[in-house]
Amino acid sequence: MWQYSLYYELLYLTDYQQIMNKKTAQPLPRSFSGHLDAANHVRGQSIYVDDLPEYAGTLYARVFYSPVAHGRILRLEVEEAEQVEGVARIFTFRDIPGENQIGNIVQDEPLLAEEEVHYIGQPIALIVAVSPEAAEKARKLIRVEIEELPAVTEPREAYRQGQLLHGSRKFEMGDVAAAFSRCRYIFEGAAHTGGQEHVYLEPQGAYAVPREGKVFIHSSTQGPTQVQRAAARVLGLSMNQVEVDVTRLGGGFGGKEDQASPWAAMVALAAHVLKKPVKYILSRHEDLLMTGKRHAYDSDYRIGLDENLKIIAYEATFYQNGGAAADLSPAVLERTLFHATNSYYVPNARLTAHCCRTNIAPSTAFRGFGGPQGMFVIEAAIHHAARELGVAPLDIQQKNLFEDGQEFPYGQVIKDSEARHCWMENIERNNLHQLRAEIREYNAAHRLSKKGMHLMPVCFGISFTNTMMNHARALVHVYSDGSVGFSTGAVEMGQGASTKLMQVAAREFGLRLDQVRIETTNTTRVANTSPSAASATSDLNGKALQDACGQIRERLFAILREEMGLEEIAGLQLRNNVVFANDSQLDMSWRELVQLAFTRRINLSAKGHYATPEIHFDKQKEKGHPFAYHVFGAAALLCTVDCLRGTYAFDAVHIVHDFGSSMNAGVDLGQVEGGLVQGIGWMTMEHLQHTPEGRLLSQTLSNYKIPDIYAVPREVSVRFLGSEGSEHAIYKSKTTGEPPLMYGIGAYFALYDAILAFNPGAARLYHAPMTPERVLGLLYEA
């Protein structure tokens, strides 16, 4: 249990430095706690795209974008801008040698607008100049005449007009109509969740360098292969003529999965045509204006219960605000359906989702990838039912938690469920029944201050829902001096993937961490990668790395058996830089073994591959087994509301989380704490607003509020459940990337609990975020 992660991060950093400073062979901790990038981060020595040394003659790019949300381009004048001193060239769609298209799932997104524009911020022209200042000066001189067309910003309206980005989807299980006819209680209503800006510390950016017969791109992307594919398409080249390299990202959260592609394609275009290095790092204002956010959703629900509060039937319809192009919206929509029943067994369910086209920047991936939007709606439905029936939400929640052998609406049978274990351990360990009694006493004694509490369960499936994406490769070299270098398709973006992968390599060879080096993520060394997303990065790439290391290890063992006359059955192991046979140390060090293999011309390199077994999904039947495993957890959120001002604070959050057999408690704890705070921000303060004309109002960090240190709960306790984990997770260490964000959903309902203590007749409103203004309204309006 931890309360102040900064203190523990310093401990982890010290832990790491001590391990790295030991030059004698020491055992690698089985569960190392720390982040190997931490030391460079705090010293400002970590390298990002904008930190790379620039080549002589580097040019700088800026985008001229649409000032209106929807319209027809009548005239574009760039002549005056071209005369600005230092401008090398201004590109429009007519200058693209390949295809003017960067759409991934649906081919509906031009790199540069042609005849129409569909959102404010859509790129129309690319200015390339000798300095950012010259490019900016030229941008202000470009003139465009646009015939404005009606703009749509709300998904329900888009659906009414038939504006869809992709076909609608429906998951169905049981006989929903018949089940509702048997229900004792039926409640229906509407819910809304807003968008969310990623606010990664490093903005979008790329740096392209022309090389002999190819283009080399440094990109801040979660998906190097997608950037490679998009750039090759735009340039009219084959993929082997485009090389993408990623050192690390200064945050991604999904925002650099597909949406890193346009900026990389733009600089690649300019570098390829001008034969000069070209760089484009977006300003924060550009990034906020031109890039996509988390999808906002409008939803309708209907829930039916029996006299024992068991959910008998549930139906929900989701209207997803996909923005002006599909981007990843169809995949996000799909995961909304996968997680629409959260941790609850619903025997009769009908879940429908529509991917709506609107005139805002194309919405994109964000931590949780549609899952949080689906979960919020069923939590709202349960809250609605509980309030009408005069019971606590947790009374309904607890009665409906998953059990093994039950089935999700998409057909996968529940296995190794920890939903009830996390729930009950949270209640018992944190004495939540006593806490509820204390909250009632506090509320009775304080007229203008009220406390609230909500218990939020989470069940999140781990795998890309597109089965073919669940694969990875790794390239490993053991050098003749015994040091190890490796590459994978994983992208480090602060989540600790590189640290965990170094642990894998060190553990497989029995080495210290300082004997192992991870290289940049590069499409030439490791090709055809899936993006670092879906919380699957460490599992997929870790398993591939394990395979490659295993190949080399078995070659080493074979030569060792031959050299020392060991029987085939001898149990050989590598530990602490020494070779063991049947737990007895041999007179052979790791380095000596490598030297022996090298002199015998044994291959000390290997390419590993891993494809997740068992998973499958039939999109025609909407049934299958799409997930390798599920992560479970439960969070109790406690808050205090100032009923005079509408302001609030979160007093404590108590979490019991299903980590499996954690291989790095420090990294995993940081992911849980960070995800929690990001989820609270989405639910309470991050208020994205567009005008009816499609103009983003919250386009600066002065009017778009994200959590700061004062918004973090005063106490955060995290209990490691101690579950065994899944064979499909690397070393049975379950992933921690996305699931913790959904604990933040409980913040909305904890605040509602406090509001109802002050105003029992408050309106029923499931419209996130629950800003202080909204709280104040609910406190004083019926």
Side-chain angles (χ1 to χ4, degrees), residues 145-198:
E145 182 181 350
I146 299 176
E147 177 190 350
E148 288 200 52
L149 300 172
V152 176
T153 59
E154 298 299 328
R156 288 183 191 269
E157 178 59 28
Y159 179 75
R160 282 192 287 268
Q161 295 184 16
Q163 295 294 317
L164 297 180
L165 292 163
H166 194 266
S168 299
R169 301 284 295 275
K170 181 184 289 187
F171 288 5
E172 194 159 2
M173 183 171 72
D175 189 335
V176 178
F180 270 115
S181 69
R182 301 195 307 270
C183 291
R184 176 72 179 273
Y185 310 108
I186 297 176
F187 306 97
E188 57 185 76
H192 170 86
T193 50
Q196 186 177 20
E197 169 60 50
H198 301 85

Short mmCIF file of all heavy atoms in Angstrom, two decimals, residues 145-198:
data_model
loop_
_atom_site.label_atom_id
_atom_site.label_comp_id
_atom_site.label_asym_id
_atom_site.label_seq_id
_atom_site.Cartn_x
_atom_site.Cartn_y
_atom_site.Cartn_z
N GLU A 145 -10.49 31.35 -49.99
CA GLU A 145 -11.91 31.68 -50.05
C GLU A 145 -12.69 30.38 -49.97
O GLU A 145 -12.50 29.47 -50.78
CB GLU A 145 -12.25 32.41 -51.34
CG GLU A 145 -13.71 32.83 -51.42
CD GLU A 145 -14.04 33.54 -52.73
OE1 GLU A 145 -13.10 33.87 -53.48
OE2 GLU A 145 -15.25 33.72 -53.01
N ILE A 146 -13.57 30.29 -48.96
CA ILE A 146 -14.32 29.06 -48.72
C ILE A 146 -15.81 29.37 -48.66
O ILE A 146 -16.23 30.29 -47.95
CB ILE A 146 -13.87 28.40 -47.39
CG1 ILE A 146 -12.39 28.02 -47.46
CG2 ILE A 146 -14.72 27.17 -47.09
CD1 ILE A 146 -11.84 27.46 -46.17
N GLU A 147 -16.58 28.62 -49.43
CA GLU A 147 -18.03 28.71 -49.35
C GLU A 147 -18.49 27.83 -48.18
O GLU A 147 -18.38 26.62 -48.22
CB GLU A 147 -18.68 28.21 -50.64
CG GLU A 147 -20.21 28.20 -50.61
CD GLU A 147 -20.80 27.48 -51.80
OE1 GLU A 147 -20.05 27.16 -52.75
OE2 GLU A 147 -22.02 27.23 -51.78
N GLU A 148 -18.96 28.48 -47.12
CA GLU A 148 -19.30 27.72 -45.92
C GLU A 148 -20.55 26.87 -46.14
O GLU A 148 -21.52 27.29 -46.77
CB GLU A 148 -19.52 28.66 -44.73
CG GLU A 148 -18.22 29.27 -44.21
CD GLU A 148 -18.34 29.79 -42.79
OE1 GLU A 148 -18.79 29.02 -41.91
OE2 GLU A 148 -18.00 30.96 -42.57
N LEU A 149 -20.50 25.67 -45.59
CA LEU A 149 -21.61 24.72 -45.61
C LEU A 149 -22.04 24.45 -44.18
O LEU A 149 -21.29 24.69 -43.23
CB LEU A 149 -21.17 23.43 -46.30
CG LEU A 149 -20.71 23.57 -47.76
CD1 LEU A 149 -20.11 22.26 -48.27
CD2 LEU A 149 -21.86 24.01 -48.65
N PRO A 150 -23.25 23.95 -43.98
CA PRO A 150 -23.71 23.69 -42.60
C PRO A 150 -22.79 22.71 -41.89
O PRO A 150 -22.32 21.73 -42.47
CB PRO A 150 -25.10 23.08 -42.81
CG PRO A 150 -25.53 23.57 -44.15
CD PRO A 150 -24.29 23.67 -44.98
N ALA A 151 -22.53 23.02 -40.63
CA ALA A 151 -21.67 22.16 -39.81
C ALA A 151 -22.52 21.39 -38.80
O ALA A 151 -23.52 21.91 -38.29
CB ALA A 151 -20.63 23.00 -39.08
N VAL A 152 -22.13 20.18 -38.51
CA VAL A 152 -22.79 19.34 -37.50
C VAL A 152 -21.73 18.97 -36.47
O VAL A 152 -20.66 18.48 -36.82
CB VAL A 152 -23.39 18.07 -38.12
CG1 VAL A 152 -23.99 17.17 -37.04
CG2 VAL A 152 -24.43 18.42 -39.16
N THR A 153 -22.02 19.21 -35.21
CA THR A 153 -21.05 18.89 -34.16
C THR A 153 -21.57 17.87 -33.16
O THR A 153 -20.79 17.35 -32.36
CB THR A 153 -20.65 20.17 -33.38
OG1 THR A 153 -21.83 20.77 -32.80
CG2 THR A 153 -19.97 21.17 -34.31
N GLU A 154 -22.87 17.57 -33.19
CA GLU A 154 -23.45 16.63 -32.23
C GLU A 154 -23.75 15.30 -32.91
O GLU A 154 -24.34 15.26 -34.00
CB GLU A 154 -24.73 17.21 -31.64
CG GLU A 154 -24.54 18.49 -30.85
CD GLU A 154 -23.61 18.30 -29.67
OE1 GLU A 154 -23.60 17.19 -29.09
OE2 GLU A 154 -22.88 19.24 -29.33
N PRO A 155 -23.37 14.18 -32.27
CA PRO A 155 -23.53 12.88 -32.93
C PRO A 155 -24.98 12.46 -33.17
O PRO A 155 -25.27 11.81 -34.18
CB PRO A 155 -22.82 11.92 -31.97
CG PRO A 155 -22.80 12.62 -30.65
CD PRO A 155 -22.70 14.07 -30.96
N ARG A 156 -25.90 12.81 -32.27
CA ARG A 156 -27.30 12.44 -32.51
C ARG A 156 -27.84 13.12 -33.77
O ARG A 156 -28.56 12.50 -34.56
CB ARG A 156 -28.16 12.81 -31.30
CG ARG A 156 -27.95 11.95 -30.07
CD ARG A 156 -28.91 12.36 -28.97
NE ARG A 156 -28.61 11.77 -27.69
CZ ARG A 156 -29.12 10.59 -27.27
NH1 ARG A 156 -29.95 9.92 -28.04
NH2 ARG A 156 -28.80 10.12 -26.08
N GLU A 157 -27.47 14.38 -33.95
CA GLU A 157 -27.91 15.09 -35.14
C GLU A 157 -27.28 14.48 -36.39
O GLU A 157 -27.93 14.33 -37.43
CB GLU A 157 -27.55 16.58 -35.03
CG GLU A 157 -27.94 17.42 -36.24
CD GLU A 157 -29.42 17.38 -36.55
OE1 GLU A 157 -30.24 17.19 -35.61
OE2 GLU A 157 -29.78 17.55 -37.75
N ALA A 158 -26.01 14.13 -36.30
CA ALA A 158 -25.35 13.48 -37.43
C ALA A 158 -26.04 12.17 -37.78
O ALA A 158 -26.25 11.85 -38.96
CB ALA A 158 -23.88 13.24 -37.10
N TYR A 159 -26.43 11.42 -36.77
CA TYR A 159 -27.12 10.14 -37.01
C TYR A 159 -28.47 10.39 -37.69
O TYR A 159 -28.84 9.67 -38.63
CB TYR A 159 -27.31 9.39 -35.70
CG TYR A 159 -28.04 8.08 -35.86
CD1 TYR A 159 -27.40 6.97 -36.41
CD2 TYR A 159 -29.38 7.96 -35.47
CE1 TYR A 159 -28.08 5.77 -36.57
CE2 TYR A 159 -30.05 6.76 -35.63
CZ TYR A 159 -29.40 5.67 -36.18
OH TYR A 159 -30.08 4.47 -36.34
N ARG A 160 -29.19 11.41 -37.23
CA ARG A 160 -30.49 11.73 -37.84
C ARG A 160 -30.32 12.09 -39.32
O ARG A 160 -31.19 11.80 -40.14
CB ARG A 160 -31.16 12.86 -37.08
CG ARG A 160 -31.83 12.44 -35.77
CD ARG A 160 -32.72 13.54 -35.21
NE ARG A 160 -31.93 14.62 -34.67
CZ ARG A 160 -31.55 14.70 -33.39
NH1 ARG A 160 -31.89 13.72 -32.55
NH2 ARG A 160 -30.86 15.72 -32.94
N GLN A 161 -29.20 12.71 -39.65
CA GLN A 161 -28.95 13.10 -41.04
C GLN A 161 -28.31 11.99 -41.87
O GLN A 161 -28.02 12.18 -43.05
CB GLN A 161 -28.04 14.33 -41.07
CG GLN A 161 -28.66 15.59 -40.48
CD GLN A 161 -27.76 16.80 -40.62
OE1 GLN A 161 -26.80 16.79 -41.40
NE2 GLN A 161 -28.05 17.86 -39.87
N GLY A 162 -28.09 10.84 -41.24
CA GLY A 162 -27.47 9.73 -41.95
C GLY A 162 -25.99 9.89 -42.19
O GLY A 162 -25.41 9.23 -43.08
N GLN A 163 -25.33 10.74 -41.38
CA GLN A 163 -23.90 10.98 -41.53
C GLN A 163 -23.12 10.00 -40.67
O GLN A 163 -22.88 10.22 -39.48
CB GLN A 163 -23.58 12.43 -41.13
CG GLN A 163 -24.19 13.49 -42.02
CD GLN A 163 -23.58 13.43 -43.42
OE1 GLN A 163 -22.37 13.28 -43.60
NE2 GLN A 163 -24.43 13.54 -44.43
N LEU A 164 -22.72 8.89 -41.27
CA LEU A 164 -21.99 7.86 -40.54
C LEU A 164 -20.62 7.64 -41.18
O LEU A 164 -20.46 7.71 -42.40
CB LEU A 164 -22.76 6.54 -40.53
CG LEU A 164 -24.13 6.55 -39.83
CD1 LEU A 164 -24.78 5.18 -39.91
CD2 LEU A 164 -23.99 6.98 -38.37
N LEU A 165 -19.63 7.36 -40.35
CA LEU A 165 -18.28 7.10 -40.82
C LEU A 165 -18.08 5.64 -41.19
O LEU A 165 -17.17 5.29 -41.96
CB LEU A 165 -17.27 7.46 -39.72
CG LEU A 165 -17.14 8.95 -39.38
CD1 LEU A 165 -16.45 9.12 -38.04
CD2 LEU A 165 -16.38 9.68 -40.47
N HIS A 166 -18.92 4.79 -40.63
CA HIS A 166 -18.74 3.35 -40.79
C HIS A 166 -20.05 2.68 -40.44
O HIS A 166 -20.94 3.30 -39.83
CB HIS A 166 -17.61 2.87 -39.85
CG HIS A 166 -17.10 1.50 -40.15
ND1 HIS A 166 -17.59 0.37 -39.52
CD2 HIS A 166 -16.14 1.07 -41.00
CE1 HIS A 166 -16.94 -0.70 -39.97
NE2 HIS A 166 -16.06 -0.31 -40.87
N GLY A 167 -20.19 1.43 -40.78
CA GLY A 167 -21.42 0.71 -40.45
C GLY A 167 -21.65 0.58 -38.96
O GLY A 167 -20.70 0.50 -38.17
N SER A 168 -22.90 0.57 -38.55
CA SER A 168 -23.25 0.42 -37.14
C SER A 168 -23.00 -1.02 -36.71
O SER A 168 -22.95 -1.94 -37.53
CB SER A 168 -24.71 0.82 -36.91
OG SER A 168 -24.90 2.18 -37.26
N ARG A 169 -22.87 -1.21 -35.39
CA ARG A 169 -22.59 -2.54 -34.84
C ARG A 169 -23.62 -2.87 -33.76
O ARG A 169 -24.12 -1.97 -33.07
CB ARG A 169 -21.19 -2.58 -34.23
CG ARG A 169 -20.05 -2.27 -35.18
CD ARG A 169 -19.73 -3.42 -36.12
NE ARG A 169 -19.23 -4.58 -35.41
CZ ARG A 169 -17.96 -4.78 -35.05
NH1 ARG A 169 -17.04 -3.86 -35.37
NH2 ARG A 169 -17.58 -5.89 -34.44
N LYS A 170 -23.87 -4.17 -33.59
CA LYS A 170 -24.81 -4.60 -32.55
C LYS A 170 -24.35 -5.92 -31.94
O LYS A 170 -24.07 -6.88 -32.66
CB LYS A 170 -26.23 -4.77 -33.12
CG LYS A 170 -27.27 -5.20 -32.07
CD LYS A 170 -28.64 -5.45 -32.70
CE LYS A 170 -29.28 -4.14 -33.13
NZ LYS A 170 -30.68 -4.34 -33.60
N PHE A 171 -24.25 -5.95 -30.61
CA PHE A 171 -24.01 -7.18 -29.86
C PHE A 171 -25.31 -7.56 -29.18
O PHE A 171 -25.97 -6.71 -28.57
CB PHE A 171 -22.93 -6.99 -28.79
CG PHE A 171 -21.53 -6.84 -29.31
CD1 PHE A 171 -21.24 -6.78 -30.66
CD2 PHE A 171 -20.46 -6.78 -28.42
CE1 PHE A 171 -19.94 -6.63 -31.13
CE2 PHE A 171 -19.16 -6.64 -28.86
CZ PHE A 171 -18.89 -6.57 -30.22
N GLU A 172 -25.67 -8.84 -29.24
CA GLU A 172 -26.93 -9.25 -28.63
C GLU A 172 -26.77 -10.64 -28.01
O GLU A 172 -26.12 -11.52 -28.57
CB GLU A 172 -28.04 -9.28 -29.68
CG GLU A 172 -29.44 -9.36 -29.10
CD GLU A 172 -30.51 -8.87 -30.06
OE1 GLU A 172 -30.17 -8.51 -31.20
OE2 GLU A 172 -31.69 -8.85 -29.65
N MET A 173 -27.34 -10.82 -26.83
CA MET A 173 -27.33 -12.10 -26.16
C MET A 173 -28.67 -12.30 -25.45
O MET A 173 -29.19 -11.37 -24.83
CB MET A 173 -26.19 -12.16 -25.13
CG MET A 173 -26.07 -13.51 -24.42
SD MET A 173 -24.55 -13.67 -23.41
CE MET A 173 -24.95 -12.57 -22.04
N GLY A 174 -29.22 -13.49 -25.56
CA GLY A 174 -30.49 -13.80 -24.91
C GLY A 174 -31.67 -13.22 -25.66
O GLY A 174 -31.56 -12.70 -26.77
N ASP A 175 -32.84 -13.29 -25.02
CA ASP A 175 -34.08 -12.74 -25.58
C ASP A 175 -34.42 -11.48 -24.79
O ASP A 175 -35.05 -11.55 -23.72
CB ASP A 175 -35.21 -13.78 -25.47
CG ASP A 175 -36.47 -13.35 -26.21
OD1 ASP A 175 -36.67 -12.13 -26.40
OD2 ASP A 175 -37.26 -14.23 -26.60
N VAL A 176 -33.99 -10.35 -25.31
CA VAL A 176 -34.08 -9.10 -24.56
C VAL A 176 -35.53 -8.69 -24.35
O VAL A 176 -35.93 -8.30 -23.24
CB VAL A 176 -33.29 -7.99 -25.28
CG1 VAL A 176 -33.42 -6.66 -24.53
CG2 VAL A 176 -31.82 -8.38 -25.40
N ALA A 177 -36.35 -8.77 -25.39
CA ALA A 177 -37.75 -8.35 -25.26
C ALA A 177 -38.48 -9.19 -24.22
O ALA A 177 -39.20 -8.65 -23.36
CB ALA A 177 -38.44 -8.45 -26.62
N ALA A 178 -38.31 -10.50 -24.29
CA ALA A 178 -38.97 -11.37 -23.33
C ALA A 178 -38.46 -11.12 -21.92
O ALA A 178 -39.22 -11.15 -20.94
CB ALA A 178 -38.77 -12.83 -23.72
N ALA A 179 -37.16 -10.86 -21.79
CA ALA A 179 -36.58 -10.62 -20.47
C ALA A 179 -37.14 -9.36 -19.84
O ALA A 179 -37.45 -9.34 -18.64
CB ALA A 179 -35.06 -10.53 -20.60
N PHE A 180 -37.30 -8.30 -20.63
CA PHE A 180 -37.87 -7.07 -20.07
C PHE A 180 -39.30 -7.30 -19.59
O PHE A 180 -39.75 -6.71 -18.60
CB PHE A 180 -37.83 -5.94 -21.10
CG PHE A 180 -36.57 -5.12 -21.05
CD1 PHE A 180 -35.67 -5.11 -22.10
CD2 PHE A 180 -36.27 -4.35 -19.93
CE1 PHE A 180 -34.50 -4.36 -22.06
CE2 PHE A 180 -35.11 -3.59 -19.87
CZ PHE A 180 -34.22 -3.61 -20.94
N SER A 181 -40.04 -8.17 -20.26
CA SER A 181 -41.42 -8.44 -19.84
C SER A 181 -41.48 -9.14 -18.49
O SER A 181 -42.50 -9.10 -17.80
CB SER A 181 -42.13 -9.29 -20.90
OG SER A 181 -41.61 -10.60 -20.93
N ARG A 182 -40.38 -9.76 -18.07
CA ARG A 182 -40.33 -10.47 -16.78
C ARG A 182 -39.75 -9.60 -15.67
O ARG A 182 -39.72 -10.04 -14.51
CB ARG A 182 -39.47 -11.73 -16.91
CG ARG A 182 -39.96 -12.74 -17.94
CD ARG A 182 -39.27 -14.09 -17.73
NE ARG A 182 -37.82 -13.99 -17.68
CZ ARG A 182 -37.02 -14.08 -18.73
NH1 ARG A 182 -37.56 -14.26 -19.95
NH2 ARG A 182 -35.71 -14.00 -18.60
N CYS A 183 -39.26 -8.42 -15.99
CA CYS A 183 -38.57 -7.60 -14.99
C CYS A 183 -39.56 -6.97 -14.00
O CYS A 183 -40.63 -6.50 -14.39
CB CYS A 183 -37.76 -6.51 -15.67
SG CYS A 183 -36.34 -7.14 -16.59
N ARG A 184 -39.18 -6.93 -12.75
CA ARG A 184 -39.98 -6.25 -11.72
C ARG A 184 -39.80 -4.74 -11.82
O ARG A 184 -40.73 -3.97 -11.61
CB ARG A 184 -39.53 -6.74 -10.34
CG ARG A 184 -40.21 -6.06 -9.16
CD ARG A 184 -41.65 -6.49 -8.99
NE ARG A 184 -42.28 -5.86 -7.86
CZ ARG A 184 -42.23 -6.36 -6.61
NH1 ARG A 184 -41.60 -7.49 -6.38
NH2 ARG A 184 -42.84 -5.75 -5.62
N TYR A 185 -38.57 -4.31 -12.14
CA TYR A 185 -38.27 -2.88 -12.23
C TYR A 185 -37.59 -2.59 -13.57
O TYR A 185 -36.70 -3.33 -13.99
CB TYR A 185 -37.33 -2.45 -11.10
CG TYR A 185 -37.76 -2.88 -9.72
CD1 TYR A 185 -37.08 -3.90 -9.05
CD2 TYR A 185 -38.84 -2.27 -9.10
CE1 TYR A 185 -37.46 -4.28 -7.78
CE2 TYR A 185 -39.23 -2.66 -7.82
CZ TYR A 185 -38.54 -3.68 -7.18
OH TYR A 185 -38.93 -4.07 -5.92
N ILE A 186 -38.00 -1.51 -14.21
CA ILE A 186 -37.39 -1.08 -15.47
C ILE A 186 -37.13 0.43 -15.39
O ILE A 186 -38.02 1.20 -15.00
CB ILE A 186 -38.29 -1.39 -16.68
CG1 ILE A 186 -38.50 -2.90 -16.82
CG2 ILE A 186 -37.67 -0.82 -17.97
CD1 ILE A 186 -39.46 -3.28 -17.93
N PHE A 187 -35.94 0.82 -15.75
CA PHE A 187 -35.58 2.24 -15.75
C PHE A 187 -34.87 2.56 -17.06
O PHE A 187 -34.12 1.74 -17.59
CB PHE A 187 -34.65 2.56 -14.57
CG PHE A 187 -35.21 2.13 -13.24
CD1 PHE A 187 -34.84 0.93 -12.67
CD2 PHE A 187 -36.14 2.93 -12.59
CE1 PHE A 187 -35.36 0.52 -11.45
CE2 PHE A 187 -36.67 2.53 -11.36
CZ PHE A 187 -36.28 1.32 -10.79
N GLU A 188 -35.11 3.75 -17.55
CA GLU A 188 -34.44 4.16 -18.78
C GLU A 188 -34.05 5.63 -18.70
O GLU A 188 -34.65 6.42 -17.97
CB GLU A 188 -35.30 3.89 -20.00
CG GLU A 188 -36.67 4.54 -19.99
CD GLU A 188 -37.48 4.09 -21.21
OE1 GLU A 188 -37.97 2.96 -21.21
OE2 GLU A 188 -37.60 4.92 -22.15
N GLY A 189 -33.02 5.97 -19.46
CA GLY A 189 -32.54 7.36 -19.44
C GLY A 189 -31.46 7.57 -20.47
O GLY A 189 -31.27 6.77 -21.38
N ALA A 190 -30.76 8.69 -20.31
CA ALA A 190 -29.72 9.08 -21.27
C ALA A 190 -28.45 9.44 -20.51
O ALA A 190 -28.49 9.80 -19.33
CB ALA A 190 -30.18 10.26 -22.11
N ALA A 191 -27.34 9.33 -21.20
CA ALA A 191 -26.05 9.66 -20.60
C ALA A 191 -25.16 10.33 -21.64
O ALA A 191 -25.36 10.15 -22.85
CB ALA A 191 -25.37 8.40 -20.05
N HIS A 192 -24.19 11.07 -21.16
CA HIS A 192 -23.25 11.75 -22.04
C HIS A 192 -21.87 11.73 -21.39
O HIS A 192 -21.74 12.00 -20.19
CB HIS A 192 -23.66 13.20 -22.29
CG HIS A 192 -22.60 14.01 -23.00
ND1 HIS A 192 -22.49 14.04 -24.37
CD2 HIS A 192 -21.60 14.79 -22.52
CE1 HIS A 192 -21.47 14.82 -24.71
NE2 HIS A 192 -20.92 15.29 -23.60
N THR A 193 -20.87 11.39 -22.19
CA THR A 193 -19.48 11.58 -21.75
C THR A 193 -18.78 12.47 -22.76
O THR A 193 -18.94 12.30 -23.97
CB THR A 193 -18.73 10.25 -21.63
OG1 THR A 193 -18.89 9.49 -22.84
CG2 THR A 193 -19.25 9.43 -20.46
N GLY A 194 -18.02 13.42 -22.26
CA GLY A 194 -17.34 14.37 -23.13
C GLY A 194 -16.04 13.82 -23.68
O GLY A 194 -15.58 12.73 -23.33
N GLY A 195 -15.43 14.59 -24.57
CA GLY A 195 -14.13 14.23 -25.10
C GLY A 195 -13.04 14.52 -24.09
O GLY A 195 -13.30 14.96 -22.96
N GLN A 196 -11.81 14.26 -24.48
CA GLN A 196 -10.68 14.51 -23.59
C GLN A 196 -9.43 14.74 -24.42
O GLN A 196 -9.14 13.97 -25.33
CB GLN A 196 -10.47 13.33 -22.63
CG GLN A 196 -9.41 13.56 -21.56
CD GLN A 196 -9.29 12.39 -20.59
OE1 GLN A 196 -9.71 11.27 -20.89
NE2 GLN A 196 -8.72 12.63 -19.42
N GLU A 197 -8.73 15.81 -24.11
CA GLU A 197 -7.48 16.13 -24.79
C GLU A 197 -6.33 15.33 -24.16
O GLU A 197 -6.25 15.21 -22.94
CB GLU A 197 -7.21 17.63 -24.68
CG GLU A 197 -5.84 18.09 -25.11
CD GLU A 197 -5.54 17.76 -26.56
OE1 GLU A 197 -6.38 18.06 -27.44
OE2 GLU A 197 -4.46 17.20 -26.82
N HIS A 198 -5.43 14.82 -24.99
CA HIS A 198 -4.35 13.97 -24.49
C HIS A 198 -3.35 14.74 -23.64
O HIS A 198 -2.84 14.23 -22.64
CB HIS A 198 -3.61 13.31 -25.66
CG HIS A 198 -4.49 12.47 -26.53
ND1 HIS A 198 -5.25 12.99 -27.57
CD2 HIS A 198 -4.77 11.15 -26.52
CE1 HIS A 198 -5.92 12.02 -28.15
NE2 HIS A 198 -5.65 10.89 -27.54
#
